[in-house]
Each structure stands twice: as structure tokens, then as C-alpha cells.
């Protein structure tokens, strides 16, 4: 059994070696593209940039974890910055292992099964000193008995290139080399799938490129990463004239599949929108089967590619560097007067390029080569007039201006004519002077020189950009310094009204006087060279001030008492027929603090800012926050200090004067809500209301009497209808008629009286309205 395992490993190694050899002969090895820039965000997303160089058709391999792959597929950007192109990107499939292996007719579970799956392949067989080359025929397993033991032995048979059949036992010295390159690729693919199944967290992406020469390549993507964390150290000074020192650190984790070697690291305190989409998982769906229509058949067609319209002129030249050495592989391009690319060429080993045909008229020659500045030259071409342009490329980081004249002097394009004299023209380079270096700063801040990161605002975001490259190996973490600056901080004690703590908290009233935004995180305080406490801080922008607590102040003993306020204030306003009585509900709270220490204390009292209440006491808050007022109180050593906060809430009641009655006015008098002058004015209103009500009563009495008469008249008329004309009935009719006549007379009189009462009532109501409107009072009792 051990022998078979050894043979399997040997065959696998030979297959892989053979496949690698085949690939090396066909294409160059993959380029190394290390991580050069990393930007980490607070929402658990990282931006990564790989930078490097590729040559000709070289490919690039980049490793990812399985968790990174979906984000990479969603955001991958590849830029060939040397004029090349990207021909494809491949990566390890996330399909289940059995589904991937189902399409590969190989089996490496046992040596017997592996060799059996290779039947018919061309192999080279070595057994001891013997070597055969041919096609694998069969693999047989036989039982052999000897020395009282029975063992199973595998035999391999092959047909050699000479047509002989050879059979050999698979012993420890046996080896097989695969001669079929396609089979080598199948074996390599099979082993890659098996290997990826053993290490499911590894994915390798291959980026294929095409181009000429050495070219810079940039690959960028985003990926899920651990959230970077900020922590701070605040060192309190021992001298009064010194400022506290704020030191900031960031905890960064590299959980990716690659090491970070000398990367440019930036930490952004922000959360750009991002999401996860499972792009790496293959999705399958059932599709309907559609029958092929055979009634219509068309022959295949080909179409010519578009070509530029070229003229009868030609152009050639030689490309050299500033030292005079020829440059091979430089790309030369000719553009017509409209800026359209007309022709391309590449300089040969002697640096020469040739265009057999170029457009007539104005043309532009552009020559590029990696590491050199782009060369541009304007020319005029004409039929039958060959042009020569010898090009000297300048090294990068330098600006060149090319002037071309026919006789060595500067001329305008219009004076070049038809280009007859350009063939022997001279090319002059005018090198622009480099810009002067920036002046040094007038002074340096010692704290900023110690900072390892440069802080910069990015709109809604904030970036800490490390000044020096950093290296973090994969599966490792680092503590990165991001801030080192003096800040303004006052040591205080905080007491919050209603707090469940028995003692105030020791805190710092910290003002961010640095130029950096402090991201939320934990902080530690060092005082007198020892640890004094720690706490949490929210995000703090430059110039912002914040209280941060870090310990309990054991020297202070607090006490809070609510005291009644005897003084009551009432304000009465009368205008436009309304009476408004505003009474203040006053409350007083006394904060007492006993300082048992030999050093003074500054206590910040956080008092609730209740809606509707207004401050009435003399102390004013140092600052206000959401739902809080903060008062400052100085407590001398071994003494007690008090802070009295008195507040008032106005309680307002509104009445319509027209609706007041004597009982309500009497209540106002008893409650002392109105003064005598207003009381007298209200009594006049009540008296006039009584006059109006008396007229209302008179009108109602007369209307009631009229209604009684109407009802009686209806009764009389009904009785008269029932009379038949007898003498007695005629006497009764006369009586009813006289009674109806008297009633009609009374109704006419009531009508006149009601009209008279209405007129008097309207006049009294107008007097009442004028009296109410004329009342204007603003009294504070």
C-alpha cells in the first residue's frame, strides 16, 4: 500500500512538472503585482491597489480569500498604463468539487484507477535501466502467492512506437512521464481543483495582458475587511504652563491572502455605501428547448474592416535616446488633420520605423516608449514627397517642446508650403525649465513632526494617511500611530442630576486644538506617569469641545435638594375681548458638594433642560447640550460649595370676557388673579350684560304670549267650523269672532313691543361690545 501511494505522488509530480514545462515554453511566467496602496473605511470595506510591471503578453496572478471574491468581481478595475490591453480575467470556480471534477475523466484515488484513466495516452515508461516510449494499453491487477503470503501486484502494458507490446510490474523504481500536452493540462486542472477543495479559502485570479515591451499595470478593487479601531492616550502635564499630549493609534488587521509590504496606508473615518452580491457563485436555471427552424438558411458572410484613407506620401525615421542610443520597440503613430489615427508602426532593432503611406496634408507624428516622455511633431505630407523625422525621446519627469523647421529657424505652419523642404529639416528640442521648489515653511510644529499620519478632510469623510509605508503580513495585525499633538484640556469633575452614582466622575473638558478629526474610540489617561483611568470618546472635529470621563472622584460628596419657592408671579393681559392670566410655576434645586481633598475642584453640574421651563436664578450655564445645561462650580479645598438653580414655567389660561359671569370674577378676586381696577372694569361689563339679558327676557316673554294667542286662535277657528247655524250657534260665532278680533289687536301690540325691545337690546349689546373692546390691561401682580 505504501508503494502505491509513493507511485501516485511520483506520477502527480511528474504530471505537474511536465505541464509547467509546457506552459513555460508557451508563455512567460506570471508577473508579481504587490499591494501598494490600502484605504480602510469604518464600514468594514477596504480599497486595494496593486502596482507593478508586465512585459509583452505576461499575465498577473493575484490571490484572494473566498470572502473577498464577491467584492473583487463587483469592483475590479485593471489599467494597462503602457498602451497594452487586458485580454481576460480567470479565477477558481466556486462550483462544488464533484461538479467540477465530473467533466475531467481522471481518478487519483488509487494508482490503478489513475493509470486506467490514462489508457491510450502517449507516455514514457522507465523501469530500472529500461526506457520505452509509446501508448498506454492496459493496467491489470493480479494476485501472486509466494513464501506463504498472497499479495496483489499491478502490471502495466503499452504499445511502443516500434509496435511492440511491453509489460512491466509497477515497482518502486517505476516511473511514467506524460507526453501529451493536452493531457498534462487536464492533470494540472484536476490537481488544481483537488487542491482548492482542500484549501477552500484560497482563490487565485489570473489577469491576462497583451502588448509590447515593459508596461506599468494597476489593479484595484474593494473588499470586506475588519473595521479599523482608533484608540487614544492623553498624557496630562506635570507643569501648569504645559498642554496635555494627545496620542492616537489605529488597530489594523490584515486578514487577506497577501502580505502588505511597504504599502501606502490610509484610514478613513467614514462609511461610503457598499453592499454584498454573490457574484462568485455560479447560478443555473432551466431553459426551454426550442426546435430549430430548417426552412430558412443563409450562407455565412464576411465584412471588410474599415481602413483609413491614406495618401501618396511616406514617412520614416529613427528613434534614439538623449545619449544617442537607438530605441527598439517604440510605438509610432500618425494622425490625420482631424485627429484620426491613420497608421501605426514599431521601431525595429535599429530604432527605425517606416510608414509606406500617410495621408496628404497636415499630419501629426506621435512616438511613445515606456520610461520616456511622449514625442509629438506636426508635419505636412504630399504625394511623392518622402518625409524623414529623426526622433530623440527624453527621459520621464521632464517637459519637452518640439519645434520643426526646414531651415533651422522658427516658422509658422502656414509657411511650410507643400512640404517639399521638410525632408532635410532640422528638429530642435526646447526644454522647459523645471518649476522652482516650494519655499520652506516659516516654522515647524514639533507635535506635527512626530505624527506618523497626515490628517485630511474628504468632504463628509476624514482620512488619516500614513506618512511612511507600512508592512503587515497576512493574518497579522498592527498598532499604527496616526496622531501626536498637544491639545487643550481642563481637569474637572462631572455630576449629573438624577445620576445613580454615589460620587461625581473625574473628567477632562477636552478641546480638539489639533488639525485632525478624532474618530470615535477608547482613550486612556496618564497622570503623574501612571495610569489614571480610561473611557470612550465620540467623533470630535477640530475646534470642538467635549467632556470625557475616565474615573470616579472619591474626594467629592454630592447632595441635591429640591426647595419650595414662596414667591408667585402673575401677569394679566386684557385686549381684544380676551382675558389672559399667566402664572409662573417656580421650582428650585440646590446642589451641594463637599470637597475632602487638599486641592480645589471644578465641578460641572449637568442640570436637565426641561421643555417650557426658563432659568430664573443668577448662575448661567457654561454650555448647553441636548436636554442638558452645564453649570461650573468651584469648590475650595476641604469646603462645601452650593449651586442653586431656580426655574419657572408659565401656566397660561385664556377667557372670553363676553363669557365671564359674576361667580368667575369673584373667583379671580379670591385668588388675587386680578387687581381692583380690573375688577371694577369687569363689574361694569357684568352690569351691562345684565341690561342686555333683561331685554332678552322681555322679548322672550312677549314672544311666548304671542305663541299662546296663536294656539288659542287655532282652537277658536276649529270650533267655528263645527257650528251648524242654529240661533245658539250664531251667538257663539259672534262671541268667537269678537274674541279673535281682540286677540289680533293684542298681537299687533305685541309685535310693536317686540320691535321696540329688539331695538333696545341691540343698542345695549353694542354698548356692551364697545365696553369690552375698550378694555386694555397689562398687569403684573
Amino acid at each position: 500500500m505504501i508503494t502505491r501511494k509513493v507511485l501516485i505522488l511520483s506520477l502527480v509530480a511528474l504530471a505537474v512538472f511536465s505541464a509547467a514545462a509546457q506552459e513555460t515554453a508557451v508563455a512567460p511566467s506570471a508577473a508579481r503585482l504587490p499591494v501598494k496602496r490600502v484605504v480602510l473605511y469604518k464600514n468594514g470595506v477596504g480599497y486595494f491597489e496593486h502596482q507593478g510591471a508586465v512585459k509583452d503578453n505576461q499575465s498577473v496572478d493575484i490571490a484572494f480569500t473566498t470572502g473577498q471574491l464577491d467584492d473583487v468581481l463587483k469592483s475590479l478595475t485593471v489599467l494597462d498604463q503602457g498602451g497594452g490591453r487586458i485580454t481576460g480575467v480567470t479565477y477558481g470556480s466556486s462550483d462544488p468539487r464533484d461538479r467540477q471534477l465530473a467533466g475531467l475523466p481522471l481518478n487519483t484515488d488509487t494508482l490503478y484507477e489513475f493509470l486506467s484513466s490514462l489508457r491510450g495516452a502517449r507516455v514514457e515508461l522507465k523501469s530500472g535501466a529500461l526506457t520505452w516510449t509509446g501508448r498506454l494499453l492496459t493496467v491489470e491487477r493480479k494476485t501472486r502467492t509466494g513464501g506463504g503470503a498472497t499479495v496483489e501486484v499491478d502490471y502495466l502494458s503499452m504499445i511502443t512506437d516500434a509496435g511492440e507490446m511491453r509489460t512491466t510490474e509497477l515497482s518502486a523504481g517505476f516511473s511514467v512521464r506524460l507526453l501529451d500536452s493536452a493531457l498534462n493540462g487536464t492533470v494540472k486542472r484536476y490537481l488544481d481543483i483537488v487542491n482548492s477543495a482542500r484549501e477552500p479559502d484560497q482563490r487565485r485570479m489570473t489577469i491576462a495582458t497583451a502588448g509590447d515591451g515593459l508596461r506599468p499595470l494597476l489593479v484595484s478593487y474593494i473588499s470586506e475587511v475588519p473595521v479599523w479601531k482608533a484608540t487614544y492616550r492623553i498624557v496630562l502635564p506635570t507643569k501648569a504652563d504645559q498642554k496635555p499630549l494627545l496620542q492616537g493609534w489605529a488597530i489594523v488587521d490584515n486578514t487577506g491572502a497577501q502580505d502588505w509590504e511597504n504599502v501606502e496606508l490610509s484610514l478613513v473615518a467614514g462609511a461610503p455605501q457598499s453592499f454584498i452580491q454573490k457574484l462568485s457563485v455560479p447560478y443555473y436555471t432551466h431553459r426551454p428547448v426550442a426546435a430549430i427552424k430548417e426552412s430558412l438558411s443563409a450562407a455565412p458572410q464576411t465584412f471588410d474592416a474599415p481602413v483609413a484613407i491614406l495618401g501618396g506620401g511616406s514617412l520614416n525615421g529613427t528613434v534614439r535616446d538623449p545619449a544617442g542610443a537607438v530605441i527598439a520597440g517604440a510605438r509610432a503613430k500618425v494622425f490625420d488633420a482631424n485627429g484620426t489615427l491613420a497608421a501605426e508602426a514599431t521601431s525595429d532593432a535599429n530604432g527605425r520605423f517606416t510608414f509606406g503611406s500617410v495621408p496628404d496634408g497636415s499630419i501629426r507624428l506621435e512616438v511613445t516608449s515606456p520610461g520616456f516622455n511622449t514625442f509629438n511633431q506636426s508635419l505636412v505630407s504630399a504625394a511623392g514627397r518622402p518625409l524623414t523625422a529623426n526622433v530623440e525621446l527624453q527621459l520621464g519627469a521632464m517637459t519637452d517642446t518640439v519645434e520643426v523647421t526646414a531651415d533651422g529657424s522658427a516658422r509658422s505652419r502656414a509657411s511650410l508650403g507643400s512640404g517639399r523642404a521638410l525632408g532635410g529639416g532640422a528638429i530642435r528640442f526646447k526644454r522647459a525649465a523645471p518649476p522652482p521648489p516650494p519655499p520652506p515653511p516659516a516654522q515647524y510644529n514639533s507635535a506635527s513632526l512626530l505624527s506618523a499620519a497626515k490628517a485630511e478632510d474628504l468632504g463628509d469623510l476624514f482620512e488619516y494617511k500614513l506618512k511612511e509605508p507600512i508592512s503587515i503580513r497576512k493574518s497579522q495585525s498592527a498598532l499604527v500611530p496616526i496622531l501626536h499633538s498637544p491639545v487643550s484640556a481642563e481637569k474637572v469633575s462631572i455630576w449629573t442630576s438624577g445620576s445613580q452614582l454615589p460620587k461625581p466622575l473625574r473628567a477632562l473638558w477636552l478641546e480638539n486644538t489639533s488639525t485632525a478629526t478624532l474618530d470615535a474610540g477608547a482613550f486612556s489617561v496618564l497622570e503623574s506617569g501612571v495610569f489614571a483611568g480610561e473611557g470612550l470618546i465620540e467623533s470630535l472635529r477640530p475646534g470642538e469641545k467635549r467632556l470625557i470621563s475616565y474615573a470616579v472622584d472619591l474626594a467629592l460628596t454630592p447632595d441635591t435638594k429640591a426647595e419650595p419657592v414662596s414667591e408667585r408671579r402673575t401677569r394679566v393681559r386684557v385686549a381684544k375681548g380676551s382675558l389672559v392670566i399667566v402664572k409662573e410655576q417656580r421650582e428650585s434645586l440646590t446642589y451641594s458638594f463637599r470637597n475632602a481633598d487638599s486641592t480645589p475642584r471644578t465641578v460641572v453640574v449637568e442640570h436637565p433642560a426641561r421643555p417650557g421651563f426658563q432659568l430664573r436664578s443668577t448662575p448661567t450655564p457654561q454650555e448647553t447640550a441636548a436636554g442638558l445645561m452645564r453649570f461650573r462650580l468651584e469648590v475650595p479645598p476641604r469646603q462645601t460649595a452650593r449651586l442653586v438653580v431656580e426655574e419657572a414655567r408659565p401656566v397660561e389660561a385664556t377667557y372670553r370676557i363676553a363669557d365671564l359671569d359674576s361667580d368667575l370674577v369673584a373667583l379671580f378676586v379670591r385668588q388675587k388673579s386680578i387687581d381692583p381696577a380690573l375688577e371694577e372694569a369687569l363689574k361694569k361689563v357684568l352690569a351691562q350684560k345684565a341690561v342686555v339679558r333683561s331685554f332678552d327676557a322681555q322679548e322672550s316673554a312677549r314672544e311666548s304670549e304671542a305663541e299662546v294667542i296663536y294656539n288659542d286662535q287655532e282652537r277658536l277657528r276649529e270650533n267655528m267650523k263645527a257650528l251648524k247655524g242654529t240661533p245658539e250657534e250664531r251667538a257663539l260665532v259672534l262671541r268667537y269672532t269678537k274674541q279673535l278680533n281682540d286677540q289680533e289687536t293684542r298681537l299687533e301690540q305685541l309685535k310693536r313691543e317686540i320691535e321696540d325691545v329688539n331695538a333696545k337690546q341691540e343698542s345695549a349689546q353694542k354698548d356692551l361690545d364697545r365696553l369690552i373692546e375698550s378694555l386694555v390691561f397689562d398687569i403684573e401682580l
Side-chain angles (χ1 to χ4, degrees):
M1 196 67 182
I2 296 176
T3 302
R4 289 178 184 169
K5 290 183 177 179
V6 173
L7 289 173
I8 292 175
L9 293 176
S10 301
L11 288 172
V12 171
L14 285 171
V16 174
F17 175 77
S18 176
Q22 293 284 344
E23 291 180 359
T24 304
V26 174
S29 60
R32 180 177 180 270
L33 216 63
V35 181
K36 288 299 183 183
R37 185 184 178 202
V38 177
V39 182
L40 303 181
Y41 297 85
K42 272 294 184 178
N43 63 341
V45 171
Y47 171 80
F48 297 85
E49 273 189 11
H50 296 251
Q51 298 177 18
V54 293
K55 186 175 182 181
D56 298 330
N57 298 337
Q58 195 174 24
S59 62
V60 173
D61 285 346
I62 299 179
F64 304 103
T65 63
T66 302
Q68 291 179 297
L69 189 56
D70 288 319
D71 282 327
V72 172
L73 295 177
K74 178 161 54 70
S75 60
L76 180 69
T77 304
V78 185
L79 300 177
D80 190 323
Q81 300 174 321
R85 65 185 187 277
I86 308 303
T87 59
V89 179
T90 59
Y91 59 93
S93 175
S94 297
D95 242 0
R97 174 176 176 265
D98 294 339
R99 189 182 183 102
Q100 296 183 62
L101 296 178
L104 301 176
L106 293 175
N107 191 341
T108 58
D109 291 342
T110 65
L111 175 62
Y112 175 82
E113 292 173 343
F114 176 69
L115 292 176
S116 296
S117 62
L118 298 180
R119 292 176 60 185
R122 292 193 74 250
V123 296
E124 181 186 85
L125 217 113
K126 288 185 179 182
S127 180
L130 299 177
T131 302
W132 301 293
T133 302
R135 301 175 73 89
L136 182 60
L137 184 61
T138 61
V139 180
E140 298 177 275
R141 178 166 295 171
K142 297 181 180 181
T143 302
R144 185 169 62 192
T145 304
T150 301
V151 295
E152 289 184 346
V153 181
D154 293 334
Y155 292 90
L156 184 145
S157 300
M158 68 178 296
I159 301 296
T160 66
D161 292 341
E164 298 181 86
M165 188 178 74
R166 296 280 186 177
T167 302
T168 182
E169 178 184 343
L170 301 184
S171 60
F174 166 83
S175 68
V176 174
R177 185 165 71 93
L178 306 180
L179 301 180
D180 190 342
S181 60
L183 185 58
N184 273 326
T186 303
V187 173
K188 182 177 183 297
R189 171 65 178 155
Y190 188 96
L191 296 178
D192 286 343
I193 294 174
V194 175
N195 178 67
S196 64
R198 188 183 71 251
E199 299 179 0
D201 198 40
Q202 292 293 326
R203 291 287 185 270
R204 186 169 296 278
M205 179 173 285
T206 300
I207 302 172
T209 69
D212 297 326
L214 195 65
R215 310 182 308 280
L217 188 71
L218 185 144
V219 178
S220 68
Y221 53 87
I222 67 167
S223 171
E224 184 179 26
V225 294
V227 176
W228 68 272
K229 287 95 52 187
T231 63
Y232 303 94
R233 321 289 184 261
I234 303 176
V235 183
L236 300 181
T238 57
K239 297 181 180 179
D241 58 344
Q242 293 178 338
K243 283 190 173 183
L245 177 65
L246 177 63
Q247 189 179 81
W249 297 80
I251 300 173
V252 179
D253 307 289
N254 180 10
T255 58
Q258 299 191 49
D259 296 337
W260 298 352
E261 298 179 1
N262 296 323
V263 301
E264 179 184 329
L265 180 62
S266 296
L267 307 174
V268 177
Q273 179 173 304
S274 184
F275 56 89
I276 296 175
Q277 195 172 45
K278 293 292 184 181
L279 299 177
S280 64
V281 179
Y283 288 90
Y284 300 92
T285 183
H286 296 286
R287 297 174 294 163
V289 178
I292 300 176
K293 295 183 179 181
E294 300 182 357
S295 59
L296 181 63
S297 177
Q301 302 182 52
T302 60
F303 301 90
D304 294 333
V307 296
I309 300 177
L310 300 179
S314 61
L315 174 64
N316 61 76
T318 303
V319 184
R320 301 179 183 274
D321 63 13
V326 297
I327 300 176
R331 301 297 297 271
K333 299 179 182 180
V334 172
F335 298 87
D336 62 15
N338 296 323
T340 304
L341 178 64
E344 290 186 72
T346 304
S347 60
D348 57 19
N350 297 319
R352 291 190 56 79
F353 63 90
T354 302
F355 296 96
S357 178
V358 294
D360 294 335
S362 298
I363 62 174
R364 177 171 62 87
L365 172 64
E366 179 185 286
V367 182
T368 60
S369 182
F372 294 90
N373 284 335
T374 299
F375 173 89
N376 283 282
Q377 179 180 352
S378 297
L379 301 168
V380 177
S381 172
R385 299 291 181 179
L387 297 177
T388 301
N390 295 321
V391 177
E392 180 179 322
L393 295 183
Q394 301 298 317
L395 295 176
M398 190 178 298
T399 302
D400 291 77
T401 302
V402 181
E403 293 184 357
V404 181
T405 61
D407 57 359
S409 61
R411 292 185 179 181
S412 66
R413 180 178 294 180
S415 66
L416 295 177
S418 61
R420 299 177 180 176
L422 289 178
I427 301 177
R428 297 190 305 167
F429 293 89
K430 182 186 294 181
R431 181 165 301 168
Q443 60 182 2
Y444 293 93
N445 190 321
S446 59
S448 63
L449 293 177
L450 298 175
S451 177
K454 178 183 178 182
E456 183 177 357
D457 276 310
L458 301 177
D460 292 335
L461 311 179
F462 190 83
E463 178 186 34
Y464 300 95
K465 186 175 182 181
L466 299 191
K467 297 179 180 178
E468 299 294 335
I470 188 172
S471 297
I472 306 176
R473 301 187 66 83
K474 62 181 179 181
S475 301
Q476 290 190 354
S477 303
L479 195 63
V480 180
I482 57 175
L483 184 64
H484 192 97
S485 172
V487 293
S488 296
E490 180 185 5
K491 190 162 64 172
V492 297
S493 298
I494 302 176
W495 176 252
T496 303
S497 178
S499 174
Q500 301 300 320
L501 297 176
K503 295 285 186 178
L505 295 176
R506 209 70 167 121
L508 293 175
W509 217 334
L510 178 68
E511 182 180 359
N512 184 11
T513 54
S514 69
T515 59
T517 295
L518 306 184
D519 190 51
F523 69 91
S524 299
V525 177
L526 301 179
E527 186 175 10
S528 301
V530 296
F531 173 73
E534 59 186 1
L536 297 174
I537 185 174
E538 297 292 333
S539 179
L540 197 64
R541 289 190 170 270
E544 199 174 356
K545 198 172 182 180
R546 190 76 52 81
L547 281 168
I548 54 175
S549 61
Y550 61 90
V552 176
D553 193 343
L554 300 176
L556 283 178
T557 302
D559 185 27
T560 304
K561 290 183 180 180
E563 299 180 356
V565 179
S566 58
E567 183 182 2
R568 291 289 187 268
R569 290 187 180 181
T570 302
R571 184 175 182 181
V572 183
R573 297 192 303 273
V574 178
K576 296 181 179 180
S578 295
L579 170 65
V580 181
I581 300 177
V582 182
K583 294 184 178 181
E584 282 192 346
Q585 176 188 345
R586 292 206 168 195
E587 295 182 7
S588 178
L589 204 59
T590 301
Y591 298 93
S592 301
F593 298 93
R594 169 65 181 173
N595 182 10
D597 199 5
S598 59
T599 58
R601 288 289 196 271
T602 298
V603 182
V604 177
V605 178
E606 290 189 331
H607 182 81
R610 296 176 293 174
F613 280 87
Q614 298 176 358
L615 194 64
R616 290 289 184 258
S617 55
T618 303
T620 58
Q622 188 78 12
E623 67 178 22
T624 58
L628 289 172
M629 293 183 289
R630 295 192 175 110
F631 296 88
R632 177 191 291 269
L633 178 64
E634 303 295 336
V635 185
R638 306 191 188 283
Q639 294 186 28
T640 300
R642 292 177 176 84
L643 171 69
V644 178
V645 180
E646 186 175 324
E647 297 172 293
R649 182 180 65 177
V651 179
E652 183 176 294
T654 302
Y655 305 89
R656 290 184 70 246
I657 296 178
D659 297 335
L660 296 179
D661 56 21
S662 58
D663 293 337
L664 193 56
V665 173
L667 178 63
F668 293 157
V669 174
R670 289 196 302 271
Q671 292 180 343
K672 298 182 179 180
S673 298
I674 59 177
D675 66 348
L678 180 56
E679 179 185 358
E680 186 66 26
L682 293 179
K683 286 182 178 181
K684 291 181 180 179
V685 172
L686 294 177
Q688 185 63 28
K689 285 183 65 177
V691 174
V692 174
R693 284 197 303 270
S694 67
F695 288 123
D696 291 338
Q698 294 177 30
E699 181 181 3
S700 299
R702 285 166 174 77
E703 289 177 348
S704 298
E705 183 181 354
E707 186 176 359
V708 171
I709 293 175
Y710 288 141
N711 294 333
D712 191 58
Q713 284 182 337
E714 185 68 23
R715 179 184 63 81
L716 294 176
R717 291 187 181 97
E718 292 295 327
N719 291 338
M720 292 173 68
K721 290 180 182 179
L723 298 177
K724 301 300 183 180
T726 63
E728 294 83 2
E729 291 176 345
R730 286 196 297 271
L732 190 58
V733 168
L734 292 174
R735 177 184 174 186
Y736 287 163
T737 303
K738 182 178 184 303
Q739 189 174 350
L740 287 173
N741 186 52
D742 294 339
Q743 288 177 344
E744 286 297 326
T745 302
R746 180 56 182 164
L747 285 176
E748 291 178 1
Q749 183 180 1
L750 287 175
K751 182 179 179 181
R752 290 192 297 271
E753 290 178 359
I754 289 174
E755 291 176 352
D756 182 58
V757 170
N758 281 337
K760 293 178 179 180
Q761 190 270 347
E762 289 178 3
S763 177
Q765 183 64 47
K766 290 181 181 179
D767 293 340
L768 176 62
D769 294 338
R770 284 194 293 269
L771 179 59
I772 292 175
E773 289 295 327
S774 65
L775 293 181
V776 177
F777 286 87
D778 192 346
I779 309 165
E780 187 168 347
L781 302 176

